Amino acid sequence: MEKILEIKDLKVHFNTFAGTVQAVRGVSLDLYKGETLAIVGESGSGKSVTSKALMGLIPKPPGEIAGGEILFEGKDLAKLTEKEMQNVRGADISMIFQDPMTSLNPTMTIGKQIMEGIIKHRKLGKTEAHKLALELLKLVGIPNPDVRIKQYPHQFSGGMRQRVVIAIALACNPKILIADEPTTALDVTIQAQILDLMKNLQKQVDTSIIFITHDLGVVANVADRVAVMYGGKIVEIGTVDDIFYNPQHPYTWGLISSMPDLDTNEDELYAIPGSPPDLLNPPIGDAFAPRNPFAMKIDLEQEPPMFKVSETHYAATWLLHPDAPKVEPPEAVKKRMKKSPNKKEEN
Amino acid sequence: MAGTQEKLLEIQNLKQHFNIGKPNEVKAVDGLTFDIYKGETLGLVGESGCGKSTTGRTIIRLYDATDGKVVFKGEDVHGKKNRSQLKSLNRKMQMIFQDPYASLNPRMKVEDIIAEGIDIHGLAKNKEERKQKVVDLLEQVGLNKEHANRYPHEFSGGQRQRIGIARALAVDPEFIIADEPISALDVSIQAQVVNLLKDLQKQHKLTYLFIAHDLSMVKYISDRIGVMYFGNMVELADADELYSNPIHPYTKSLLSAIPLPDPDYERNRRRIAYDPSQHDTSEEPEFREIRPRHWVLCTTKEFEAYKQEFQNKES
């Protein structure tokens, strides 16, 4: 598969009065053409900051890209000036934000907001831009586009607004679409509609999607590959089947078992103890070690490298070291592993 | 858990309308009837705007009901009451709110937030007892006594929700309404709070009304689940029964929309769309018991059709 984006050892810091917050601490990631990569993790794990760095949306100051490269079509996005970045943003890479209530301008008609990017990046005239905007509204499934195009955001429901936001993001046929929790603010039924819409559109316009979320159900629905982030790092990455049916990192185990599915009947839900690490003073060794029931001595001393599980699957945990003791994953994870489609065929 | 079938709360034809008589009148809750049994957890689900939060708030008398009755242990919650009657009612019913950031007064210390109810109801004889009570409550919800002298902004979302829970427990209530208590929290923290709520229920023999839109979490915590749509309850059944045998088309559609953390299931998922016009409109639908403990909102004709559906399923 063709690589479209390559992130190498990205580091993002924020300088605050209390000290430097190391929000992203060395993320390396490839994005392939036409795939959907989901980034999961709890708040503060650095998933949103990573995506904002790709868009050049890190406020500087207090933020800074402290190291690493973001390679897109031979350019390093981390080193572009704001002017240069403006030609990329919205044209080659565009973004769908979490909250459709606040990401639209309340004083502009939605037609104008869609046309804004088209006129700027595709250098089209007003009439042509208007035509294209109408087509986009049709594409994202908004009924009566000729009427709706003249309306303001407050006249739309949440789900409809998110469709408008998607239309704006798609206006310039971006090569990469970053969706930062696009359905978190929506109801389940509307969420299902928007996810279906995004999947269909992806097939039609052939774009790569980076999907940021903390909802593993949504991940299972949309993703081809999954990256699990914790404490500003990727701790496990693999195909969606690798992550759900053969997870290796104790944090991934914790995430999976703390989410009940409809068969969960255990008396006690597994909860990851403690709280996320303080990235002002990142812990030495494995950042997850203090919350990890499987932690070993080395976890507190030395950071684990990425161990290869298979061609597509990597995880950063010392448990994968050949000298590590064999541990049994929690019950809920073992149950999940048994549901694997490959396992079913074997049986 | 729903072994004892003693009714704690009866809700009869409850209505809550806003802007009555004006063109923008909203019938947020329109004729709800259901019971809550002692010691159970009743989950209430539905999309935003269906009236589930309004139901919770009306039950606890944060809103004055437009019509209908809420009977708590044989006593009507609404209607004229003097201060002491209200006070004793408020002690038995408490609420946990959705947003742990907005529901705690930023100018009050945690100790005073938790002890507010204790002070109002005069549950502590002196300062030492008050302090001791607060420390006990903090420990019960997994915090410690050092936290008593801090302010809310010093805590994370999960910890704040624990403070909210401690505040609700302070007056020793029997019934707690939890309005989306976990939806503002991170996944890993959600499980902690849900476990805490379950433990406390066992220790204090609490009854919960658990309002949420995360259907898998609701299934996990609830004994029975009610599904709301447009101010009405369309289906009410035991949690397992509702998920394995949904009858009302809206429930089916809602269940088919939940994304589950299982990629194989997701690839083969079929979404069912809900079309309100498919209903029989020849008469007003009523809430009918289709199987023991399984209630559905339907007309006579639909009632027969649904029953038929069941027989076909079983044979």
Side-chain angles (χ1 to χ4, degrees):
Chain A
M1 269 203 289
E2 193 188 332
K3 258 185 219 171
I4 183 159
L5 182 80
E6 217 179 327
I7 304 175
K8 283 184 185 160
D9 200 27
L10 180 71
K11 291 188 177 110
V12 183
H13 293 176
F14 289 92
N15 298 309
T16 65
F17 288 120
T20 302
V21 177
Q22 305 179 21
V24 175
R25 305 187 296 143
V27 163
S28 299
L29 199 65
D30 296 331
L31 183 69
Y32 299 104
K33 200 163 190 278
E35 75 163 350
T36 302
L37 172 73
I39 304 182
V40 292
E42 49 203 315
S43 27
S45 62
K47 55 193 197 307
S48 285
V49 174
T50 305
S51 68
K52 284 198 173 132
L54 301 184
M55 289 284 282
L57 288 176
I58 302 286
K60 302 169 194 167
E64 62 169 328
I65 293 182
E69 292 175 319
I70 305 169
L71 298 173
F72 173 72
E73 295 187 325
K75 284 175 287 189
D76 181 2
L77 298 184
K79 297 202 171 58
L80 292 188
T81 60
E82 173 60 23
K83 247 278 146 76
E84 291 165 318
M85 197 63 215
Q86 276 175 9
N87 291 324
V88 178
R89 195 188 295 143
D92 293 324
I93 307 179
S94 60
M95 190 151 179
I96 302 170
F97 294 91
Q98 171 170 4
D99 190 352
M101 306 293 159
T102 52
S103 52
L104 291 171
N105 185 337
T107 66
M108 275 165 87
T109 62
I110 59 141
K112 243 189 172 167
Q113 297 188 50
I114 300 175
M115 282 155 62
E116 208 181 14
I118 302 177
I119 292 170
K120 180 164 190 325
H121 292 297
R122 293 174 94 173
K123 312 262 179 313
L124 291 178
K126 256 195 166 167
T127 22
E128 280 163 311
H130 187 84
K131 228 191 254 161
L132 197 65
L134 273 178
E135 270 169 44
L136 282 164
L137 285 180
K138 236 179 262 163
L139 185 72
V140 296
I142 290 184
N144 300 331
D146 349 338
V147 183
R148 296 297 242 168
I149 197 166
K150 291 184 214 122
Q151 292 184 332
Y152 290 89
H154 73 267
Q155 291 166 297
F156 289 76
S157 66
M160 282 295 157
R161 272 186 233 191
Q162 199 59 300
R163 285 171 197 260
V164 173
V165 174
I166 292 174
I168 294 174
L170 291 176
C172 298
N173 294 329
K175 299 193 178 79
I176 301 172
L177 186 63
I178 300 171
D180 190 352
E181 311 237 7
T183 58
T184 311
L186 305 174
D187 276 316
V188 255
T189 40
I190 311 296
Q191 165 173 289
Q193 287 172 13
I194 296 287
L195 293 179
D196 285 353
L197 172 73
M198 286 184 68
K199 278 192 283 187
N200 285 336
L201 290 177
Q202 185 180 26
K203 269 181 226 145
Q204 285 177 41
V205 297
D206 193 31
T207 154
S208 309
I209 298 180
I210 297 179
F211 202 106
I212 296 163
T213 180
H214 62 250
D215 186 336
L216 290 176
V218 172
V219 173
N221 182 293
V222 298
D224 300 310
R225 288 196 307 141
V226 184
V228 182
M229 279 191 80
Y230 185 80
K233 289 188 166 212
I234 291 178
V235 294
E236 185 160 5
I237 184 164
T239 65
V240 68
D241 285 5
D242 289 339
I243 299 294
F244 281 92
Y245 300 130
N246 188 24
Q248 298 294 328
H249 198 283
Y251 178 64
T252 317
W253 292 347
L255 267 189
I256 288 181
S257 31
S258 65
M259 246 196 105
D261 60 13
L262 297 178
D263 305 326
T264 308
N265 279 325
E266 284 87 18
D267 249 4
E268 182 99 326
L269 207 53
Y270 178 78
I272 303 173
S275 47
D278 173 14
L279 294 176
L280 263 174
N281 316 293
I284 305 163
D286 186 351
F288 186 57
R291 303 172 76 185
N292 183 1
F294 306 101
M296 297 173 286
K297 210 171 147 207
I298 189 166
D299 279 307
L300 299 168
E301 291 161 359
Q302 214 178 330
E303 219 169 301
M306 273 285 184
F307 287 97
K308 184 172 172 182
V309 183
S310 72
E311 270 319 309
T312 52
H313 190 181
Y314 294 83
T317 164
W318 283 116
L319 291 177
L320 289 171
H321 191 272
D323 295 341
K326 276 256 168 273
V327 295
E328 289 278 306
E331 245 357 92
V333 172
K334 278 200 262 174
K335 241 163 106 187
R336 203 61 61 94
M337 285 170 160
K338 280 191 203 122
K339 282 190 188 168
S340 157
N342 308 331
K343 285 268 167 59
K344 271 181 215 156
E345 277 155 32
E346 279 167 29
N347 291 344
Chain B
M1 254 176 276
T4 51
Q5 290 296 301
E6 190 187 332
K7 280 178 196 169
L8 184 77
L9 202 72
E10 286 172 67
I11 290 124
Q12 294 160 3
N13 195 30
L14 187 71
K15 286 183 186 168
Q16 180 66 55
H17 299 178
F18 296 104
N19 303 326
I20 297 167
K22 293 190 190 145
N24 57 344
E25 180 171 340
V26 179
K27 296 182 175 173
V29 175
D30 203 18
L32 268 189
T33 302
F34 62 95
D35 298 330
I36 299 175
Y37 300 117
K38 206 171 154 59
E40 76 166 347
T41 301
L42 179 71
L44 213 51
V45 297
E47 51 197 292
S48 41
C50 72
K52 52 189 197 301
S53 286
T54 308
T55 306
R57 285 163 173 253
T58 309
I59 288 175
I60 204 170
R61 210 185 155 145
L62 280 175
Y63 297 138
D64 283 320
T66 309
D67 194 12
K69 254 185 172 176
V70 178
V71 180
F72 180 77
K73 294 178 103 182
E75 185 188 355
D76 192 358
V77 174
H78 292 270
K80 253 193 175 159
K81 286 209 172 346
N82 60 30
R83 273 188 102 101
S84 67
Q85 282 172 319
L86 263 181
K87 236 175 151 181
S88 73
L89 204 65
N90 286 344
R91 224 192 113 177
K92 289 179 213 148
M93 281 201 265
Q94 285 289 313
M95 191 147 179
I96 300 167
F97 294 94
Q98 170 172 13
D99 189 343
Y101 293 86
S103 59
L104 302 178
N105 187 339
R107 292 161 175 243
M108 280 167 81
K109 283 183 184 163
V110 168
E111 179 178 356
D112 297 320
I113 290 175
I114 294 176
E116 204 176 1
I118 297 176
D119 297 341
I120 289 172
H121 296 285
L123 300 180
K125 282 185 222 81
N126 49 37
K127 269 199 174 149
E128 284 75 53
E129 198 186 336
R130 179 180 187 260
K131 176 90 193 172
Q132 190 52 45
K133 280 203 158 167
V134 170
V135 170
D136 286 348
L137 285 162
L138 282 172
E139 273 162 9
Q140 275 184 43
V141 297
L143 299 169
N144 58 50
K145 62 172 185 277
E146 280 84 57
H147 291 126
N149 284 319
R150 296 193 197 166
Y151 287 93
H153 73 263
E154 296 172 73
F155 294 90
S156 67
Q159 286 174 320
R160 284 179 205 217
Q161 203 55 295
R162 287 170 191 269
I163 296 169
I165 294 170
R167 170 176 66 182
L169 285 177
V171 293
D172 232 344
E174 293 172 43
F175 177 55
I176 291 185
I177 296 176
D179 188 359
E180 309 234 15
I182 52 166
S183 39
L185 306 175
D186 260 318
V187 239
S188 72
I189 310 297
Q190 282 185 355
Q192 292 178 4
V193 173
V194 164
N195 283 340
L196 174 66
L197 285 171
K198 276 200 133 179
D199 288 345
L200 292 172
Q201 180 171 39
K202 268 184 224 149
Q203 281 171 31
H204 298 267
K205 304 203 168 45
L206 293 166
T207 307
Y208 288 137
L209 178 66
F210 191 89
I211 301 169
H213 64 254
D214 178 343
L215 292 146
S216 36
M217 219 30 127
V218 174
K219 157 102 192 316
Y220 174 71
I221 196 170
S222 305
D223 301 309
R224 290 192 306 147
I225 295 175
V227 180
M228 284 190 69
Y229 182 71
F230 258 98
N232 242 314
M233 194 172 277
V234 295
E235 192 158 358
L236 174 69
D238 288 345
D240 290 324
E241 167 79 4
L242 187 86
Y243 279 78
S244 45
N245 294 317
I247 294 180
H248 197 277
Y250 179 68
T251 314
K252 285 183 185 166
S253 145
L254 197 63
L255 290 179
S256 77
I258 325 172
L260 291 178
D262 183 346
D264 194 41
Y265 171 87
E266 285 297 324
R267 271 176 223 130
N268 305 315
R269 190 158 66 97
R270 277 265 131 77
R271 203 152 59 75
I272 307 167
Y274 176 56
D275 176 13
S277 64
Q278 72 193 75
H279 287 290
D280 172 31
T281 48
S282 57
E283 60 178 47
E284 274 291 299
E286 262 177 54
F287 216 43
R288 293 165 212 263
E289 192 167 24
I290 222 152
R291 294 224 288 202
R293 300 170 62 81
H294 190 157
W295 296 75
V296 182
L297 186 75
C298 57
T299 60
T300 342
K301 241 192 242 165
E302 284 171 334
F303 185 62
E304 294 306 321
Y306 292 154
K307 270 200 155 166
Q308 196 59 45
E309 200 181 311
F310 255 125
Q311 276 160 14
N312 294 345
K313 214 174 183 179
E314 269 158 18
S315 58

